[in-house]
Amino acid sequence: AQKITQTQPGMFVQEKEAVTLDCTYDTSDPSYGLFWYKQPSSGEMIFLIYQGSYDQQNATEGRYSLNFQKARKSANLVISASQLGDSAMYFCAMREGRGGGYNKLIFGAGTRLAVHP
Amino acid sequence: DTAVSQTPKYLVTQMGNDKSIKCEQNLGHDTMYWYKQDSKKFLKIMFSYNNKELIINETVPNRFSPKSPDKAHLNLHINSLELGDSAVYFCASSQNRVSDTQYFGPGTRLTVL
């Protein structure tokens, strides 16, 4: 079964608008972390934001916020005031609770975001 | 200062050849990883090393052999390259808690002709 599901292969948004990228996950581990990465056309993987399973507050980093709904197992990324430079592939990923190198990242299929002027 | 570096950035080679990709991190992390991104952009773990010890080997063919000479380096050697090995290979590193971010290298685009 898919552990991380991103149901939107592509999204577009008008510059300066907000956009939500969906991510649902599946785990039975009570301790896990959720990450979002951005991959621009240049190919590098850029870390954006992290949410821990025990965190009470939704994570925010500048224009990025994570809408974490634990009961629904969703961790949607919200980008406010979109900029042209936000056009990229966005990946949701989960890291489960074992330490010591066991906690690999499991990635979703990604959502390609296009920001239009 | 580059945190996680990989060389080379591009690698074009013939089927059957052997090639290596090198990775170095200067973040002082204990764990390093290799991920493969296929042509559909799907990213999957291949290996992880913690303090030079192999932890994860995710059903990767044994033509792929990682080597970690020290905590800061994790190299990937691939024997008898096949067309299906064409992909982007990312090295990453992190500390070991669930909350610790994995930082990725710039990727190596391998093309097997």
Side-chain angles (χ1 to χ4, degrees):
Chain A
Q2 291 261 15
K3 287 215 164 194
I4 296 281
T5 304
Q6 295 181 254
T7 55
Q8 307 151 314
M11 290 279 286
F12 70 87
V13 65
Q14 212 67 31
E15 202 179 1
K16 299 184 186 140
E17 302 277 306
V19 63
T20 298
L21 306 184
D22 294 342
C23 173
T24 57
Y25 61 91
D26 183 27
T27 182
S28 54
D29 198 322
S31 173
Y32 54 90
L34 297 155
F35 299 79
W36 278 90
Y37 285 85
K38 172 184 178 182
Q39 187 175 41
S41 57
S42 49
E44 70 268 33
M45 295 288 290
I46 302 166
F47 165 70
L48 295 178
I49 195 166
Y50 163 79
Q51 180 84 44
S53 57
Y54 294 119
D55 293 344
Q56 297 295 315
Q57 308 260 29
N58 285 345
T60 59
E61 287 285 349
R63 295 186 298 111
Y64 304 109
S65 59
L66 206 152
N67 183 358
F68 181 46
Q69 298 189 45
K70 196 169 178 177
R72 297 176 69 176
K73 293 191 173 176
S74 77
N76 299 339
L77 177 70
V78 180
I79 306 175
S80 63
S82 297
Q83 300 172 356
L84 296 177
D86 294 334
S87 294
M89 194 80 166
Y90 288 81
F91 291 98
C92 178
M94 178 173 66
R95 197 175 185 190
E96 291 174 308
R98 289 181 79 182
Y102 287 96
N103 40 14
K104 63 191 180 189
L105 282 174
I106 303 164
F107 283 88
T111 296
R112 186 171 295 283
L113 176 67
V115 179
H116 295 175
Chain B
D1 264 353
T2 306
V4 184
S5 59
Q6 288 178 236
T7 52
K9 190 156 169 62
Y10 299 97
L11 195 46
V12 181
T13 188
Q14 301 284 336
M15 254 190 341
N17 283 351
D18 303 340
K19 288 293 175 189
S20 291
I21 307 171
K22 293 181 191 266
C23 177
E24 177 180 359
Q25 54 98 0
N26 62 6
L27 297 167
H29 289 159
D30 291 329
T31 306
M32 296 184 73
Y33 309 82
W34 280 109
Y35 288 86
K36 179 180 179 180
Q37 186 173 41
D38 64 22
S39 57
K40 291 185 163 54
K41 298 289 191 183
F42 187 67
L43 273 149
K44 194 169 188 302
I45 184 77
M46 298 173 69
F47 301 104
S48 77
Y49 269 75
N50 184 53
N51 283 320
K52 304 194 294 172
E53 183 188 346
L54 178 66
I55 302 296
I56 295 175
N57 180 344
E58 197 85 348
T59 59
V60 178
N62 56 17
R63 297 182 297 103
F64 290 78
S65 50
K67 283 201 171 45
S68 182
D70 55 56
K71 268 173 42 167
H73 295 85
L74 180 62
N75 303 323
L76 183 65
H77 188 76
I78 316 169
N79 288 329
S80 304
L81 278 154
E82 299 177 357
L83 294 176
D85 298 332
S86 294
V88 180
Y89 293 84
F90 284 99
C91 176
S93 75
S94 74
Q95 295 292 32
N96 292 326
R97 296 169 302 177
V98 165
S99 58
D100 289 318
T101 299
Q102 286 187 22
Y103 293 95
F104 283 75
T108 295
R109 182 176 291 278
L110 171 66
T111 304
V112 183
L113 304 174

